[in-house]
Amino acid sequence: MELRQLEYFLAVVEHGGIGGASASLGVTQPTVSQALRALEREVGVQLFHRIGRGMVPSSAGRALVGSTRQIMRDVAAVDDALSAAGDEPTGRVEVLASPFIDGGAVIDLVAGFRARHPGVTVRLGDLRVETQASAMIEEGRCEFVITHLPTVGDDLDMIVLGEQEFWLVCPPGTEVPDGPIPIADLPRIPMIFVPRGGSVAEEIESAIRESGVRLPIAVLSDHREQRLPMVLAGIGATLLERRIAESVADRAVVRPVSPRFARTFAMIFDPGGLSVAGQAFADVARSMAAQRAVPE
């Protein structure tokens, strides 16, 4: 088994076919096809199902993805260590963060890490389904996941980063009383929610339903960043992170709600599978959490 074969295998997984993989790798399609056939002969199983012009991993292929990603990270870490001067870590740290996490906390963490270790690149991606957080680590898709709790596997560690509170944000001119708004007294105006899928936003919607309130739904949006512009455009109201809500208090009607909606969020990882750069990232996160006096 050659390292090149594993690299091509991952490229096909990530691009869903040989065409996209060959373009990303800068090689011809026959080169990728031959490498995949050789890899399948080596492992003795079929790694992909051919569907039209695309390819999806077989059960054996899916089982190989995590370990292959770890191998590629380890090789990159060795190359970085050989080219680095002194003991300063280099390379790349891969992080998936839920789009429903307070972006300010994530930015602070990345900024704090980069200030200490400028030789390391941070690759930040979206965790689209929070219930898959542990699986992303176990499958080797990244080293760290930042998500709401509880969602930690038995063999994973976590560093609590903070607590996130959600406030009601209504279109300009909406008439609501001052102070916290009881859930049962939410204004009967159209709401903007995200589709169901295990997110904190769905928990908020469920709590509203359980209170006996039946609010009309204006929009179901998969895109977190679209909800605030929709509110400001007068389409409907929604619940957003307190930091974001307070930042538009001069352009929208913003209120806390009762009972208080709040979720703890944390960074989870496999302590036994961290690269040198990953260990440095975890150390910075733990140090910053301790400085904020957030209990782990």
Side-chain angles (χ1 to χ4, degrees):
M1 186 182 301
E2 298 178 3
L3 188 62
R4 175 180 56 86
Q5 295 171 338
L6 298 179
E7 181 184 8
Y8 291 4
F9 165 75
L10 279 184
V12 174
V13 171
E14 292 170 356
H15 293 276
I18 290 177
S22 64
S24 70
L25 293 166
V27 299
T28 65
Q29 294 188 29
T31 298
V32 177
S33 297
Q34 291 168 10
L36 285 184
R37 287 196 294 269
L39 180 59
E40 288 180 327
R41 287 196 298 269
E42 289 278 352
V43 298
V45 294
Q46 182 178 350
L47 297 176
F48 290 95
H49 297 300
R50 278 71 175 174
I51 301 178
R53 295 185 177 181
M55 300 175 68
V56 296
S58 64
S59 58
R62 290 195 300 272
L64 185 62
V65 170
S67 56
T68 300
R69 284 196 171 103
Q70 186 62 55
I71 289 171
M72 300 307 295
R73 279 201 295 269
D74 290 343
V75 170
V78 170
D79 289 340
D80 291 331
L82 292 175
S83 61
D87 297 327
E88 176 61 28
T90 59
R92 185 171 73 180
V93 173
E94 297 187 359
V95 183
L96 293 181
S98 166
F100 300 102
I101 291 294
D102 180 359
V106 178
I107 292 171
D108 288 346
L109 173 57
V110 173
F113 174 72
R114 286 278 303 157
R116 293 170 175 81
H117 303 291
V120 180
T121 300
V122 178
R123 180 179 180 181
L124 186 62
D126 274 349
L127 173 68
R128 301 199 174 275
V129 181
E130 290 191 310
T131 54
Q132 294 180 357
S134 294
M136 295 296 100
I137 299 292
E138 292 162 358
E139 292 175 7
R141 294 179 181 271
C142 58
E143 284 191 271
F144 301 94
V145 170
I146 301 176
T147 184
H148 292 100
L149 299 180
T151 182
V152 181
D154 294 338
D155 298 327
L156 302 181
D157 201 352
M158 73 172 180
I159 299 171
V160 174
L161 300 179
E163 182 185 73
Q164 192 168 6
E165 184 179 2
F166 294 82
W167 281 23
L168 178 69
V169 184
C170 301
T174 304
E175 295 186 2
V176 295
D178 293 333
I181 307 297
I183 290 298
D185 295 334
L186 285 176
R188 302 309 193 264
I189 60 176
M191 297 292 292
I192 301 167
F193 288 125
V194 298
R196 297 185 178 184
S199 70
V200 64
E202 182 181 339
E203 292 185 15
I204 292 173
E205 183 185 352
S206 297
I208 292 173
R209 289 197 305 267
E210 290 171 4
S211 72
V213 178
R214 294 296 181 266
L215 300 174
I217 298 177
V219 178
L220 291 173
S221 175
D222 285 307
H223 300 283
R224 168 184 180 269
E225 66 275 7
Q226 291 180 352
R227 290 182 291 156
L228 180 55
M230 288 181 182
V231 172
L232 298 178
I235 295 174
T238 194
L239 285 106
L240 295 174
E241 300 90 332
R242 177 177 178 175
R243 179 184 58 84
I244 296 175
E246 290 182 321
S247 72
V248 296
D250 60 335
R251 293 180 287 156
V253 178
V254 176
R255 298 287 188 275
V257 294
S258 178
R260 180 173 174 264
F261 284 119
R263 287 281 301 278
T264 300
F265 59 94
M267 183 175 78
I268 66 173
F269 56 96
D270 177 2
L274 295 180
S275 63
V276 173
Q279 184 61 61
F281 192 77
D283 291 343
V284 170
R286 189 173 285 108
S287 174
M288 293 179 68
Q291 290 173 8
R292 289 192 301 270
V294 178
E296 292 189 24

